[in-house]
Amino acid sequence: MIDLLITNGRILTMNPEQPAAEAIAVANGRIVTVGTNDELAGLRGVARRVLDLDGATMIPGLIDAHTHFVMGSEALGRVRLAGMTTMAEMQRRVAEKVAAAAAGEWVTGRGWDDTKRTDVVALPTAADLDAVAPNNPVYLGRADGHVGWANSAALRLAGIDADTPDPYGGRIVRDERGEPTGILQETAKKLVERLLPAPDHASRTAALRRGLAEAARYGITGIHDNASAEDIALYQEFRERDELSLRVSTLVRGWEVDQPFLEPMIAIGARTGFGDDWLRLGALKLSLDGTLGSRTAAMLAPYADDPGNTGVFRISQEELDPIVERAHRHHIQVALHAIGDAACRMALDSIERAAAAYHWTDHRHRIEHEQVVAPEDMPRFAKLGIIASLQPCHAVTDLLWVESRVGPERMPGAYAWQSFVRLGTRICLGTDWPVETLDPRVGLYEAVTRKALDGAPPGGRQPEESLTIEQALKGYTLDSAYAEHGERKKGSIEAGKYADLTILAQDPTAIDPDDLLRLEVLGTIVEGRSVYAADDRWRV
């Protein structure tokens, strides 16, 4: 019995053997036939449900290859500073939360970005928060998640003063007198974060429901999520209740050397792919450095605008190598956060040594972000079979100021997406939500145009490194599935694969790239059932 027949559409399959179709048939949540309207016309009489696309476009369900999904879901209910361009705007947003808080209650949020300010491009200070929150402790994460901003009350509770030493892998930013300014970089932010009241189970559950609804609205049917053990447990609860409306491949967070995530995985035989098709182990995630925006990305040479600074390593080569080698030996994929060229080289060297020590050719180890890569290191990705996990949303904002950070001589290796493809490197695309918006249309637009959301500059920044729309769609579908060893079951519209599908009002390959931001998601289908429909016409 055919459960669903979808007809009369422009279907972009991402299957090179059959790149386009008009109709598909679905049974038991899987695609059974792909073809033309005429070829599948005979199934109309036996299908339980027929969806007439009426010329709309269908693509494989979008897979976001890099999220912090539970964190982003929780952030939806906290102080939200994304897009704020002046201190006055941020203070007003914080003051609103403070006014609703009890005396002494923590006020938390995230999303501020000093590089986007229009009043003055400068790091904020505790005094800026003290002006609107003199008594409540306030802690706000930067958009990149690598820097915290605390007010004086929060610093006092954490015991941070002029005599507090910088922790390993972190930095307490200080003024000319040696006093902490309120900015805590990398591991230093844990000095405050450890004091934050943990959200209770009910609030986390409600937050995840909000996040799942947000993802469905954007046509997202799968994510690669930087997940903690607690996040995975929450996903499992949703899975057991049949409330999980997208597929989750976890990048299990092993942020610090002393966190024992790897050994339990090995002990239970949890190779990459452990789990089921809704919730599975994707990779062990390790963070090697910081970010360019906060000048904590680890660089081979000092920052052009901060000559005494080469960034921050969160782990040493000597610590990283045995972790990567042991994971590789036990067929556990690694995903290494590396933004600066020095961190990228560390990641490449570590994976190369592991591959030399133990033969596992189909490891698909990943490097996350690789925003600046030394030109001589670029070919090593393809040679070693390493996937470049890219987030197009980062580049267009960063390209406004990145040359001032790294200098013109390093720009050829900055956000070099097309160079990766040209060299034969497999890529996957994501958003890094909540660092950037979860909306994949923004990622598609910026991948193809290299423009900011206001359309500037007209020709895009470093347009030679832009992706084609076909490459970008593949990066959000089949290549993201490949990056999690899941391409046999999803990522393209083919017989035998899950009916994870996104319905769009426009064909993204046929419109002006500037209009990609205005793509309209009509419906999102996961395993043959609707998880979002713009109206009842698109519900199955």
Side-chain angles (χ1 to χ4, degrees), residues 118-171:
T118 57
D119 50 359
V120 58
V121 180
L123 288 171
T125 67
D128 294 324
L129 290 176
D130 294 344
V132 293
N135 301 312
N136 291 75
V138 178
Y139 178 77
L140 305 168
R142 193 176 187 273
D144 57 18
H146 286 253
V147 181
W149 172 22
N151 71 344
S152 295
L155 292 174
R156 283 194 299 270
L157 287 172
I160 299 172
D161 57 26
D163 297 322
T164 305
D166 289 346
Y168 175 76
R171 182 186 298 141

Side-chain angles (χ1 to χ4, degrees), residues 55-369:
T57 296
M58 177 172 281
I59 62 175
L62 296 167
I63 302 171
D64 189 322
H66 188 108
T67 69
H68 304 261
F69 197 84
V70 176
M71 181 190 300
S73 299
E74 291 175 336
L76 292 173
R78 297 176 180 168
V79 178
R80 299 167 70 179
L81 301 179
M84 301 288 99
T85 59
T86 68
M87 179 56 66
E89 288 178 294
M90 293 189 286
Q91 288 174 319
R92 185 162 50 251
R93 189 68 60 87
V94 172
E96 291 171 357
K97 287 290 185 181
V98 170
E105 182 181 353
W106 280 89
V107 172
T108 62
R110 65 170 296 135
W112 61 273
D113 186 345
D114 46 295
T115 68
K116 294 181 180 178
R117 287 178 61 181
T118 57
D119 50 359
V120 58
V121 180
L123 288 171
T125 67
D128 294 324
L129 290 176
D130 294 344
V132 293
N135 301 312
N136 291 75
V138 178
Y139 178 77
L140 305 168
R142 193 176 187 273
D144 57 18
H146 286 253
V147 181
W149 172 22
N151 71 344
S152 295
L155 292 174
R156 283 194 299 270
L157 287 172
I160 299 172
D161 57 26
D163 297 322
T164 305
D166 289 346
Y168 175 76
R171 182 186 298 141
I172 300 169
V173 177
R174 307 171 195 271
D175 63 21
E176 63 279 357
R177 298 170 298 147
E179 296 291 337
T181 66
I183 296 298
L184 306 168
Q185 297 177 336
E186 302 303 330
T187 58
K189 63 192 183 72
K190 292 182 178 292
L191 299 173
V192 170
E193 289 177 344
R194 67 190 178 189
L195 303 177
L196 301 180
D200 61 26
H201 185 266
S203 64
R204 281 171 55 82
T205 298
L208 183 53
R209 287 198 180 105
R210 288 194 298 268
L212 291 171
E214 188 89 343
R217 185 167 64 90
Y218 288 136
I220 298 170
T221 63
I223 57 171
H224 301 176
D225 186 37
N226 293 263
S228 67
E230 293 79 13
D231 296 341
I232 295 170
L234 185 61
Y235 283 130
Q236 183 61 30
E237 291 181 22
F238 273 65
R239 173 76 182 97
E240 291 170 354
R241 295 195 300 265
D242 198 29
E243 287 189 64
L244 205 54
S245 54
L246 48 68
R247 303 187 193 277
V248 181
S249 180
T250 61
L251 308 179
V252 184
R253 290 207 304 260
W255 292 99
E256 314 302 336
V257 174
D258 61 350
Q259 292 183 351
F261 288 103
L262 179 58
E263 294 310 316
M265 293 182 197
I266 293 172
I268 64 172
R271 297 185 173 203
T272 289
F274 184 86
D276 64 22
D277 292 332
W278 284 95
L279 178 58
R280 63 201 298 272
L281 172 68
L284 175 73
K285 171 74 182 299
L286 290 167
S287 191
L288 308 191
D289 69 342
T291 66
L292 289 171
S294 57
R295 296 184 183 86
T296 56
M299 306 301 292
L300 293 169
Y303 283 87
D305 58 355
D306 191 2
N309 179 21
T310 56
V312 176
F313 277 113
R314 298 184 62 158
I315 188 172
S316 69
Q317 190 82 62
E318 292 72 25
E319 291 166 322
L320 179 65
D321 284 354
I323 298 173
V324 172
E325 193 276 335
R326 188 153 171 74
H328 179 86
R329 185 175 294 276
H330 288 273
H331 287 219
I332 295 174
Q333 185 183 20
V334 296
L336 305 179
H337 165 117
I339 286 182
D341 51 12
C344 288
R345 182 167 295 175
M346 174 191 281
L348 291 163
D349 288 349
S350 195
I351 293 171
E352 185 170 31
R353 288 168 187 149
Y358 179 79
H359 184 70
W360 178 28
T361 56
D362 196 29
H363 54 76
R364 308 187 197 183
H365 295 314
R366 305 161 50 138
I367 298 179
E368 309 296 312
H369 311 304

